[in-house]
Amino acid sequence: MGIQADSVRVPSPGRKRKFSFLSVNLRTSGRKTAFGAVLAAACIFLSSAAALAEPPAWTQIHPGVWKASAGRPERITLLGAAGGTAETDALASLPRAEFPLPAGEIDVRSADGKTFLRFPLARGERIFGLGLSFQNVDQRGRILTLRVDHYGGSDNGRTHAPVPFYVSSRGYGILVDAARYITVYAGTGVRREAKDPPVLRDRNTDKAWEAQPYSDAVEVLVPAGGADVYVFGGPTPLNAVQRYNLMSGGGCLPPKWGLGFTQRVPTLYSAEDILKEADEFEKRGFPLDFIGAEPGWQSMAYPCTLEWDKGRFPDPAGFVSALGGRGVRTNLWLNPYIAPGSALFPKLKGLAGSHTVWNGIVPDLLLDKAVRAFQEHFLKEHIDLGVGGYKIDEVDGFDSWLWPDTTTFPSGASAEQMRQVYGLLLQRYTAGWFKEKDRRTYGLVRGTNAWAAPLPYVIYNDSYSHREFITALVNSSFLGVLWTPEVRASKTAEEWVRRMQSVCFSPMAMINAWADGTKPWSFPEVENAVRDAAGLRMRLLPYLYTAFARYRFEGIPPFRAMSLIEGFDAWAASAGVPGALRDQYLMGDSLLVAPMFAGQAVRKVVLPPGDWFDFYSGDPVGGGQTIEVAPGLDRIPLFVRDGGIIPLVPFRRHAPAAGETLPLEVRHYGRASGRFDLYDDDGTTFGFERGRRSWTALIVDRDAAGNLRASMAAPAPGKPFGYARDAAWRFMTRPPHPEP
Amino acid sequence: MGIQADSVRVPSPGRKRKFSFLSVNLRTSGRKTAFGAVLAAACIFLSSAAALAEPPAWTQIHPGVWKASAGRPERITLLGAAGGTAETDALASLPRAEFPLPAGEIDVRSADGKTFLRFPLARGERIFGLGLSFQNVDQRGRILTLRVDHYGGSDNGRTHAPVPFYVSSRGYGILVDAARYITVYAGTGVRREAKDPPVLRDRNTDKAWEAQPYSDAVEVLVPAGGADVYVFGGPTPLNAVQRYNLMSGGGCLPPKWGLGFTQRVPTLYSAEDILKEADEFEKRGFPLDFIGAEPGWQSMAYPCTLEWDKGRFPDPAGFVSALGGRGVRTNLWLNPYIAPGSALFPKLKGLAGSHTVWNGIVPDLLLDKAVRAFQEHFLKEHIDLGVGGYKIDEVDGFDSWLWPDTTTFPSGASAEQMRQVYGLLLQRYTAGWFKEKDRRTYGLVRGTNAWAAPLPYVIYNDSYSHREFITALVNSSFLGVLWTPEVRASKTAEEWVRRMQSVCFSPMAMINAWADGTKPWSFPEVENAVRDAAGLRMRLLPYLYTAFARYRFEGIPPFRAMSLIEGFDAWAASAGVPGALRDQYLMGDSLLVAPMFAGQAVRKVVLPPGDWFDFYSGDPVGGGQTIEVAPGLDRIPLFVRDGGIIPLVPFRRHAPAAGETLPLEVRHYGRASGRFDLYDDDGTTFGFERGRRSWTALIVDRDAAGNLRASMAAPAPGKPFGYARDAAWRFMTRPPHPEP
């Protein structure tokens, strides 16, 4: 169905664009009055014109990525705010893709000062993405007004990452880039001229009558004069996601310590208290790589000074250094609304919005001068002291907290635009300041948007439903964002261990239970189970770090929806199994994670086609079917695909430092041959971008006798590789396979 | 604080409007290219300009009503859609009002293609209205995006009547008229330059820190180039509501039969079934004035033919007439989305929106030709047959049912504008077609908007929370709309009687329990209590009809929030009593209704200052205080103010017909003198607008000896007056007061 051309222009079925002068350059008019009269007339005419159709002109800007302008795109875009640059080589190495839709069925119109887009939708097609949803994975049939906001309990588009990107089960993606509250009708509206119209039925007498008749289109309303539109080819849904991630620069590669454990501490903890907390983790033998200080590290918060409280932190540099001496990085909470008492205030007060947030000014981060003031302050006060990262809070919502949409900003950006990009800007700039110091950071953010894959931040929120947290983790994989199902207080030991198990299989193993003081060891009856899960995460770091490296270089999300497995939803539909699963996912290529929830003794797991094996025992569990598991409290169900290779290191409390050499255990599951390219670098700098990285093949294949044999390629000479060369291989699946 | 001038122009504190040419008349430019260039440049400049302040120029258009244009108001307005004309004489007879706000503190700006308005807000000021809310009465501190929609469980502005009008407890009202999704920040946003800024606090250490700092303004975002703005003076909140209602033509005066009982019947009921239903009500002696046929009266529904089903209704005229012969009017359910099989379809298919609703086309009711097609059809098929009214369903929402906002209409109206006015248009036109026949109608509607007071329709929905239904009834009084807390199925006899009691003290006594077949007499244990409540409503018709006449002629809502009692909220605040009450209200001037809810044996009632008396016994119950009542199942708590006069007629099953003369019982409560001007007319025609109406004074005053005495003025000669001249007076409050 595709069209093989680098530039595709297909006349839209609607009316031709009438106002070609909209894009001509400025020439001054003779008389001012005439100018005014002409403008007034034309504006009135434009605003009353019903619908100006404008055929989209697609240009292939990268292999398998097409771009078109709908209407007149605005100056402020999500791509511009995120600031990434495409990984062109990686894009070029993806499978060839053709333009994935019948271009003539894509319609763009301008009307009422807005831009309407329409994309065709096929029967059985599923739609994923469209903002970080917490309850639904398949968005078809939903209406979402995508707006940076706190998730308020229903999937209506108000969310921490309202990314206007969708991935189709048919293997393509579409992104509408406008820093606006975009509404997507994901297969709900029915046109009179629909190509595939619904059946007419009489509700009085026909039981098959439907409240929502069949719709053959995705319609998008951009409340602005235009938008950039991107189409990402497949052929698989994962390929489309890869192209989207690579367009923005590829996924972030956290420092190794970012993948260890993090604990957050009570807001009024002093430097001394925090050091004691680190000591207690050490005493208990529990892993810990960074600690987050909550608002009280500052001299005032809500609004924030972004300055250390001299009472609680008399020697900030000494504190950060002392914590570092314990192998623990410092993370600082902030929100960006500046208190009058801060040294930043006089520098920013002329560069802020018209409205305040909690009495703090809102710096206009679209002004270079405001960014530079922030930069100078952040470097001097935090980064140069050794602080490892930030938790950027309250850049999402609620409406009654943030600046209203009537706010004006000195840069000329509207309140709506600023809302849609503020989290992106803060992530981009703070990450950039670390990068200038050749240090990687990894932090938390509560509001973000499209093209965020390279930004080393993980989303979180306060809603605290374990099931919804897992659904968010599933959905994050469609959107170029990361999500942590953080652990706070739990009512029962069972809940605690189930949540701890989940967070160990997520982008950030965060314990955030400071409000009630729960510690990993607080529930004695599950303490060992919690330690097992935490230990397993630490042992899996080589596997996980490699998954992130593939995010960085290939755009493959490290945590992944089942629907990103090639053909999964089609198989599920044909097998009568539910697709678009919200409660299980992949970590890396080979590990299927099926979290247990409190109150649940047994759960169903859908195993994709192929043979799958229990991670712990190596036993076969089936494939292409739904199984039930009853793992007891001490384990989270984990399954490995046939031929899966999982590298592990011995348990450790901290992520490895540069220069360390760790013993390697390599597990093979199932009966198929397999290969795992183990990634490594120094773990903390951007040397990897300058070639200081290694990929080392771990291979299981069959010899002439048909026996499995394992081998490890020689590490590239002169490249960082922090593992011993004599890996301990384990063939997990019995009957035994001969070891090499 | 007011400014005494018919036209007030105060420079706004913001920047001066720079583009005076925005309002000049069209002159054509010389060359097309120059025209285009100039336009492009100016449009770009306009769209990027931060904020153009434009001082509002207030013109007093009626006594106590000021209007200004903010930006460039659009062609389609709510006032234009509602179509009313001001009751200028009645407006002139209200108490003198000065411009109620410091005009210099009202700010209007244009930015980002939108219009921002700001109005000052004082400490302690309460804000009422802003759409039909179901949970809150005081809207201060809320953010509402006012959009015609089904109420979805939270008061966020999506509601059946998203009226952009608010009434201040300080005695004025403000209406922003744009057929757009207007967002109101009702005291949430805080400007850096706030006149009354909040206190700066450190959340780390200050327990008094507030998540939502004090805001001194209401801010309004109109997502369009302009809006008409109206300011309504007081001096009381009720006066402001009166001015708003009178500006649109005054409240509706239903036919007398509209105030009797109505029953709705199962969707597939035939003509014969419905006649039997009417007969059963007669046999049971239960009042009934009109019956509503649900979708099945049509040959197809969802989408609708708006034509009778020939099987279930072989002789529509005969059916309507037979029902009329039983004293019962016919009401017809509809939604306006036209089925391909309807005779209307070929006439409307070129006059409809681009999208369908349930496979039906959406007639563009801003096109005269579409309205005429409807008119011809409605007259011929329903009105000329004697049908009494309509239930206009699904002109509200949900988004996934109605046309998407990407829909275009041939009139050039946007989907958003059409959504905001569609219910208004249908009410206005259908009511007008009845009026052409000199017949009053009274029906139901699920989507409406501002200026709807004259439209003889009552709002309803499916949410079915008894408490929320009462809150909606309270809030309706601020908005120029009517609301019925209709009765459907009930789980228990208690719930049934409590709901029945409430609906008897509402604008429409509707039983809508057809889905499960519950009848008024279905719960034997409360049958008598239900009959008592129903009987009381029928007995109170003279009182209620007069309350509606005051709605019509004076703009005073017949059902009224406690906050519309002069000084009520100020008294409540000073007395430490909750104000902005959501569970009690006035019917007419004198009757305080305090509904009971299932599960509630005792309830609190806040009695405003003054003496109050039990309606049933006449006993004093207190005043200026909160009391507790435990009325048992057989009564709804009703209280009468001191000096209150309540006229009643004997129980009857139907509202009186023109020419009937009914005995009158007149009750007096308390110890104060009082006066009630009893209204009457023929009850069904618009003769009352041509002078065929009467007001007859019922007076209780004190004679020289200090004794109360009653008198009834002579009815105006030659005017309709359907009551016997020898009223039976009852002084309800003991110790006895001498009768005249």
Side-chain angles (χ1 to χ4, degrees):
Chain A
M1 294 294 285
I3 292 176
Q4 293 182 39
D6 278 357
S7 186
V8 184
R9 184 183 278 274
V10 182
S12 121
R15 272 190 267 164
K16 287 280 186 185
R17 178 171 135 188
K18 283 183 182 156
F19 300 97
S20 57
F21 50 72
L22 276 176
S23 54
V24 303
N25 291 324
L26 170 68
R27 285 198 236 168
T28 51
S29 167
R31 285 190 306 139
K32 197 182 171 188
T33 314
F35 172 92
V38 166
L39 173 66
C43 284
I44 289 162
F45 186 76
L46 276 174
S47 68
S48 65
L52 311 175
E54 205 169 346
W58 298 103
T59 303
Q60 190 163 192
I61 56 171
H62 298 289
V65 182
W66 293 263
K67 181 181 178 185
S69 288
R72 290 186 298 116
E74 297 184 295
R75 185 173 56 95
I76 301 167
T77 64
L78 303 176
L79 184 60
T85 50
E87 282 283 354
T88 49
D89 290 352
L91 281 162
S93 70
L94 287 174
R96 176 178 172 75
E98 298 177 351
F99 193 80
L101 289 166
E105 292 180 27
I106 300 174
D107 191 45
V108 177
R109 280 158 200 267
S110 301
D112 195 33
K114 304 176 178 71
T115 307
F116 304 160
L117 302 98
R118 177 164 51 78
F119 304 95
L121 199 52
R123 294 209 171 244
E125 187 170 0
R126 285 190 149 142
I127 292 297
F128 306 110
L130 294 175
L132 192 65
S133 286
F134 288 78
Q135 297 175 5
N136 304 280
V137 173
D138 184 0
Q139 305 304 331
R140 185 167 185 163
R142 304 188 68 77
I143 300 170
L144 301 149
T145 298
L146 297 165
R147 174 176 180 129
V148 173
D149 201 352
H150 200 94
Y151 164 64
S154 61
D155 286 342
N156 55 17
R158 288 187 181 246
T159 182
H160 311 270
V163 181
F165 172 61
Y166 69 86
V167 188
S168 161
S169 59
R170 288 165 73 96
Y172 65 90
I174 289 177
L175 193 148
V176 178
D177 188 339
R180 293 287 177 181
Y181 305 149
I182 293 171
T183 298
V184 182
Y185 299 85
T188 63
V190 178
R191 284 158 298 126
R192 292 169 59 187
E193 312 197 344
K195 194 177 167 195
D196 186 1
V199 177
L200 176 68
R201 296 181 192 278
D202 180 7
R203 191 184 183 185
N204 289 331
T205 52
D206 187 341
K207 299 271 186 222
W209 180 89
E210 291 170 307
Q212 201 174 317
Y214 181 79
S215 164
D216 67 352
V218 172
E219 296 193 59
V220 180
L221 188 161
V222 181
D228 293 327
V229 187
Y230 299 86
V231 170
F232 301 90
T236 69
L238 180 60
N239 291 147
V241 169
Q242 287 179 269
R243 290 184 210 274
Y244 158 63
N245 288 334
L246 291 169
M247 250 292 293
S248 65
C252 70
L253 181 61
K256 286 184 180 174
W257 58 260
L259 301 179
F261 273 78
T262 181
Q263 162 79 335
R264 301 201 70 85
V265 295
T267 189
L268 292 181
Y269 260 30
S270 66
E272 203 178 335
D273 295 330
I274 296 177
L275 292 172
K276 274 190 204 152
E277 182 87 2
D279 291 342
E280 195 183 0
F281 269 69
E282 185 168 351
K283 197 183 93 193
R284 299 280 189 162
F286 201 88
L288 185 65
D289 269 301
F290 56 114
I291 279 189
E294 289 289 314
W297 68 270
Q298 293 171 86
S299 52
M300 176 180 260
Y302 290 67
C304 293
T305 56
L306 302 181
E307 290 162 358
W308 298 86
D309 182 80
K310 292 290 187 294
R312 295 182 286 274
F313 296 86
D315 173 15
F319 158 71
V320 173
S321 165
L323 200 55
R326 288 157 168 88
V328 177
R329 263 75 175 184
T330 304
N331 173 289
L332 296 180
W333 176 99
L334 65 84
N335 66 37
Y337 313 117
I338 305 304
S342 170
L344 270 171
F345 190 85
K347 295 174 191 158
L348 292 170
K349 73 178 176 186
L351 310 170
S354 58
H355 286 63
T356 61
V357 175
W358 293 304
N359 282 311
I361 55 171
V362 183
D364 184 338
L365 294 179
L366 289 166
L367 296 176
D368 286 346
K369 206 171 160 192
V371 174
R372 282 198 306 274
F374 255 37
Q375 176 177 18
E376 188 187 345
H377 185 95
F378 278 55
L379 285 172
K380 175 169 153 253
E381 295 281 330
H382 324 135
I383 298 174
D384 286 347
L385 271 48
V387 164
Y390 296 100
K391 174 184 177 182
I392 302 171
D393 213 6
E394 284 111 8
V395 288
D396 52 340
F398 300 102
D399 288 355
S400 53
W401 293 351
L402 292 203
W403 60 91
D405 283 347
T406 55
T407 305
T408 53
F409 286 90
S411 65
S414 71
E416 175 182 355
Q417 290 172 313
M418 195 62 85
R419 177 87 169 254
Q420 296 295 70
V421 302
Y422 211 73
L424 282 180
L425 294 172
L426 267 173
Q427 292 176 80
R428 166 194 177 179
Y429 289 124
T430 49
W433 303 330
F434 281 101
K435 189 164 183 177
E436 280 174 25
K437 303 284 171 182
D438 199 24
R439 284 156 51 191
R440 284 184 244 167
T441 183
Y442 197 49
L444 292 151
V445 74
R446 221 171 66 180
T448 185
N449 213 318
W451 309 110
L455 302 174
Y457 283 91
V458 181
I459 314 170
Y460 64 99
N461 78 7
D462 294 336
S463 65
Y464 208 54
S465 153
H466 189 184
R467 282 183 187 272
E468 291 186 358
F469 274 15
I470 299 306
T471 304
L473 181 50
V474 167
N475 282 326
S476 68
S477 63
F478 302 117
L479 301 168
V481 297
L482 302 170
W483 166 263
T484 174
E486 62 169 68
V487 182
R488 300 188 179 183
S490 291
K491 292 200 184 69
T492 62
E494 182 197 10
E495 184 190 346
W496 181 256
V497 69
R498 290 313 191 195
R499 287 181 177 275
M500 284 293 293
Q501 286 166 342
S502 293
V503 87
C504 290
F505 292 85
S506 84
M508 185 181 284
M510 174 159 72
I511 309 163
N512 190 20
W514 56 266
D516 82 332
T518 311
K519 300 287 161 71
W521 46 86
S522 288
F523 291 96
E525 58 271 54
V526 294
E527 186 183 343
N528 285 340
V530 167
R531 285 183 184 281
D532 285 351
L536 191 51
R537 179 182 179 92
M538 297 306 291
R539 295 201 61 201
L540 284 167
L541 284 183
Y543 176 81
L544 184 56
Y545 194 57
T546 298
F548 270 95
R550 297 192 66 194
Y551 190 34
R552 172 65 184 80
F553 295 109
E554 299 172 51
I556 297 175
F559 295 84
R560 222 173 299 163
M562 300 301 290
S563 295
L564 288 179
I565 296 174
E566 190 173 348
F568 177 80
D569 281 302
W571 162 77
S574 71
V577 163
L581 297 173
R582 58 172 288 200
D583 62 352
Q584 62 180 77
Y585 56 92
L586 296 187
M587 178 166 105
D589 269 354
S590 295
L591 208 55
L592 192 166
V593 184
M596 301 291 295
F597 304 99
Q600 190 182 45
V602 180
R603 68 157 286 169
K604 289 192 162 72
V605 181
V606 178
L607 298 172
D611 294 321
W612 290 80
F613 301 85
D614 182 82
F615 169 80
Y616 303 95
S617 68
D619 292 341
V621 291
Q625 70 192 103
T626 303
I627 61 168
E628 285 201 340
V629 294
L633 278 187
D634 55 339
R635 283 186 176 173
I636 178 172
L638 299 171
F639 306 95
V640 185
R641 69 167 85 236
D642 196 10
I645 291 172
I646 313 271
L648 301 95
V649 289
F651 170 75
R652 44 190 302 121
R653 288 193 57 244
H654 301 299
E660 278 193 80
T661 300
L662 310 182
L664 202 59
E665 173 186 327
V666 184
R667 299 188 182 179
H668 171 270
Y669 290 82
R671 301 169 187 104
S673 56
R675 173 180 172 137
F676 185 91
D677 287 295
L678 176 64
Y679 175 79
D680 206 19
D681 61 21
D682 65 29
T684 60
T685 76
F686 287 88
F688 74 89
E689 291 190 345
R690 303 183 294 270
R692 294 209 297 278
R693 62 180 188 258
S694 67
W695 294 94
T696 304
L698 306 172
I699 296 170
V700 171
D701 53 14
R702 288 195 183 272
D703 62 17
N707 296 318
L708 290 177
R709 60 175 191 193
S711 63
M712 176 171 170
K719 301 290 186 182
F721 184 68
Y723 303 103
R725 298 187 52 173
D726 54 339
W729 287 85
R730 290 182 64 193
F731 287 88
M732 294 294 290
T733 302
R734 303 288 156 189
H737 300 271
E739 303 209 4
Chain B
M1 295 294 283
I3 292 175
Q4 292 182 40
D6 279 355
S7 187
V8 185
R9 184 182 278 275
V10 182
S12 121
R15 272 190 269 165
K16 287 279 185 183
R17 179 171 134 186
K18 282 182 183 157
F19 300 95
S20 57
F21 50 72
L22 277 175
S23 55
V24 303
N25 292 325
L26 170 68
R27 285 197 236 166
T28 51
S29 169
R31 284 190 307 141
K32 199 180 171 189
T33 314
F35 172 92
V38 166
L39 172 67
C43 284
I44 288 161
F45 186 75
L46 275 175
S47 68
S48 65
L52 311 176
E54 205 170 344
W58 297 103
T59 303
Q60 191 164 191
I61 56 170
H62 298 290
V65 182
W66 292 264
K67 181 181 178 185
S69 288
R72 290 186 298 114
E74 298 184 296
R75 186 171 57 94
I76 299 167
T77 64
L78 303 177
L79 184 60
T85 50
E87 281 284 352
T88 49
D89 291 351
L91 281 162
S93 71
L94 287 173
R96 177 178 172 77
E98 298 177 352
F99 193 80
L101 291 166
E105 293 179 25
I106 300 175
D107 190 45
V108 177
R109 279 159 201 268
S110 301
D112 194 33
K114 303 177 180 72
T115 307
F116 304 160
L117 301 98
R118 176 165 50 77
F119 304 94
L121 199 52
R123 293 208 173 245
E125 187 170 0
R126 285 188 151 145
I127 292 296
F128 306 108
L130 295 175
L132 191 67
S133 286
F134 287 78
Q135 297 174 6
N136 305 281
V137 173
D138 185 1
Q139 304 305 332
R140 186 167 184 162
R142 303 187 68 77
I143 300 171
L144 300 149
T145 297
L146 297 165
R147 174 177 180 128
V148 173
D149 201 353
H150 201 95
Y151 164 65
S154 61
D155 286 342
N156 55 17
R158 289 187 180 244
T159 181
H160 312 269
V163 181
F165 172 61
Y166 69 86
V167 187
S168 161
S169 59
R170 288 167 70 97
Y172 65 90
I174 289 177
L175 193 148
V176 178
D177 188 340
R180 292 287 178 182
Y181 305 149
I182 293 171
T183 298
V184 182
Y185 300 84
T188 63
V190 179
R191 283 157 299 127
R192 291 170 59 188
E193 311 198 342
K195 194 177 167 194
D196 186 2
V199 178
L200 176 67
R201 298 181 190 278
D202 180 7
R203 190 184 184 185
N204 289 332
T205 52
D206 187 342
K207 299 271 186 224
W209 180 88
E210 290 170 307
Q212 201 173 317
Y214 181 78
S215 164
D216 67 353
V218 172
E219 297 193 58
V220 180
L221 189 161
V222 181
D228 293 326
V229 187
Y230 299 86
V231 171
F232 301 90
T236 68
L238 180 59
N239 291 148
V241 169
Q242 287 179 269
R243 289 184 210 274
Y244 157 62
N245 287 335
L246 290 170
M247 251 291 293
S248 66
C252 71
L253 181 61
K256 287 184 180 174
W257 58 259
L259 301 180
F261 273 78
T262 181
Q263 161 80 336
R264 302 201 69 85
V265 295
T267 190
L268 292 181
Y269 259 31
S270 66
E272 202 178 336
D273 295 328
I274 295 177
L275 292 172
K276 274 190 205 153
E277 182 88 0
D279 291 342
E280 195 181 1
F281 269 68
E282 186 169 350
K283 198 183 92 193
R284 298 280 189 163
F286 201 88
L288 185 66
D289 269 300
F290 57 113
I291 280 188
E294 290 288 314
W297 68 269
Q298 294 170 87
S299 51
M300 175 180 260
Y302 291 64
C304 293
T305 57
L306 302 181
E307 290 162 358
W308 298 88
D309 182 80
K310 293 289 187 294
R312 294 183 286 276
F313 296 85
D315 173 15
F319 158 70
V320 173
S321 165
L323 200 56
R326 288 158 168 86
V328 177
R329 263 76 174 182
T330 303
N331 172 290
L332 295 181
W333 175 99
L334 64 86
N335 67 37
Y337 313 116
I338 306 304
S342 170
L344 269 170
F345 190 85
K347 295 173 192 160
L348 292 170
K349 74 178 175 186
L351 309 170
S354 59
H355 286 63
T356 60
V357 175
W358 292 304
N359 282 310
I361 54 171
V362 183
D364 184 338
L365 293 180
L366 289 166
L367 296 176
D368 285 345
K369 205 171 161 192
V371 174
R372 283 199 305 274
F374 255 36
Q375 176 176 16
E376 187 187 348
H377 185 95
F378 278 56
L379 285 172
K380 176 169 153 255
E381 295 280 332
H382 324 135
I383 298 174
D384 286 347
L385 270 48
V387 164
Y390 296 100
K391 174 184 177 184
I392 302 171
D393 213 6
E394 284 111 8
V395 287
D396 51 340
F398 300 102
D399 289 357
S400 53
W401 292 352
L402 292 205
W403 60 91
D405 282 347
T406 54
T407 304
T408 53
F409 285 91
S411 65
S414 71
E416 176 182 355
Q417 291 172 312
M418 195 62 84
R419 177 86 169 254
Q420 296 294 71
V421 302
Y422 211 72
L424 282 180
L425 294 172
L426 267 173
Q427 291 175 81
R428 166 194 178 179
Y429 290 123
T430 50
W433 302 329
F434 281 100
K435 189 165 183 177
E436 280 174 25
K437 302 284 172 180
D438 200 22
R439 284 155 51 191
R440 284 184 244 166
T441 183
Y442 197 51
L444 292 151
V445 72
R446 221 171 67 180
T448 184
N449 213 318
W451 310 109
L455 303 174
Y457 283 91
V458 181
I459 314 170
Y460 64 99
N461 78 7
D462 293 337
S463 64
Y464 208 55
S465 155
H466 189 183
R467 281 184 188 271
E468 291 186 358
F469 273 16
I470 299 305
T471 304
L473 181 51
V474 167
N475 282 325
S476 69
S477 63
F478 302 116
L479 301 168
V481 297
L482 302 171
W483 166 263
T484 174
E486 61 169 69
V487 183
R488 300 188 179 184
S490 291
K491 292 198 183 70
T492 63
E494 182 198 9
E495 183 189 346
W496 181 255
V497 68
R498 291 314 192 193
R499 287 183 178 273
M500 284 293 293
Q501 287 166 342
S502 293
V503 87
C504 290
F505 292 85
S506 84
M508 186 181 282
M510 175 159 72
I511 309 163
N512 190 19
W514 56 265
D516 82 333
T518 311
K519 300 288 161 71
W521 46 87
S522 288
F523 291 97
E525 58 273 53
V526 294
E527 187 184 341
N528 284 340
V530 166
R531 284 183 185 280
D532 286 350
L536 191 51
R537 179 184 180 91
M538 296 307 290
R539 294 202 61 202
L540 284 167
L541 284 183
Y543 177 81
L544 184 56
Y545 194 57
T546 298
F548 270 95
R550 297 192 66 194
Y551 189 36
R552 172 65 185 80
F553 295 108
E554 300 171 52
I556 297 175
F559 296 85
R560 222 173 299 163
M562 300 301 289
S563 295
L564 288 179
I565 296 175
E566 190 173 348
F568 177 80
D569 281 303
W571 162 76
S574 70
V577 163
L581 297 174
R582 57 172 290 200
D583 63 354
Q584 60 180 77
Y585 56 92
L586 296 187
M587 177 166 105
D589 269 353
S590 297
L591 207 56
L592 192 167
V593 185
M596 301 291 295
F597 304 100
Q600 190 183 43
V602 180
R603 70 158 286 170
K604 289 192 162 72
V605 181
V606 178
L607 298 173
D611 294 321
W612 289 80
F613 301 86
D614 183 81
F615 169 80
Y616 303 96
S617 68
D619 293 341
V621 291
Q625 71 192 102
T626 303
I627 62 168
E628 286 202 339
V629 294
L633 279 187
D634 54 339
R635 280 186 178 172
I636 177 171
L638 299 172
F639 306 96
V640 185
R641 70 167 82 236
D642 196 9
I645 291 172
I646 313 270
L648 302 94
V649 289
F651 170 75
R652 45 190 299 122
R653 289 193 56 246
H654 301 299
E660 277 193 81
T661 300
L662 311 182
L664 202 59
E665 173 187 327
V666 185
R667 298 188 183 179
H668 171 270
Y669 290 82
R671 299 167 190 106
S673 55
R675 173 181 172 135
F676 185 92
D677 288 295
L678 176 64
Y679 176 79
D680 205 18
D681 61 20
D682 65 29
T684 58
T685 76
F686 287 87
F688 73 90
E689 291 190 345
R690 302 183 293 271
R692 294 209 299 276
R693 62 181 186 257
S694 66
W695 295 93
T696 305
L698 306 172
I699 297 170
V700 170
D701 54 15
R702 286 196 184 272
D703 63 17
N707 295 319
L708 291 176
R709 62 175 188 193
S711 63
M712 177 170 168
K719 302 289 186 181
F721 185 68
Y723 303 103
R725 298 185 53 173
D726 52 337
W729 287 84
R730 290 181 64 192
F731 285 87
M732 294 294 291
T733 302
R734 305 288 154 187
H737 299 272
E739 301 208 7

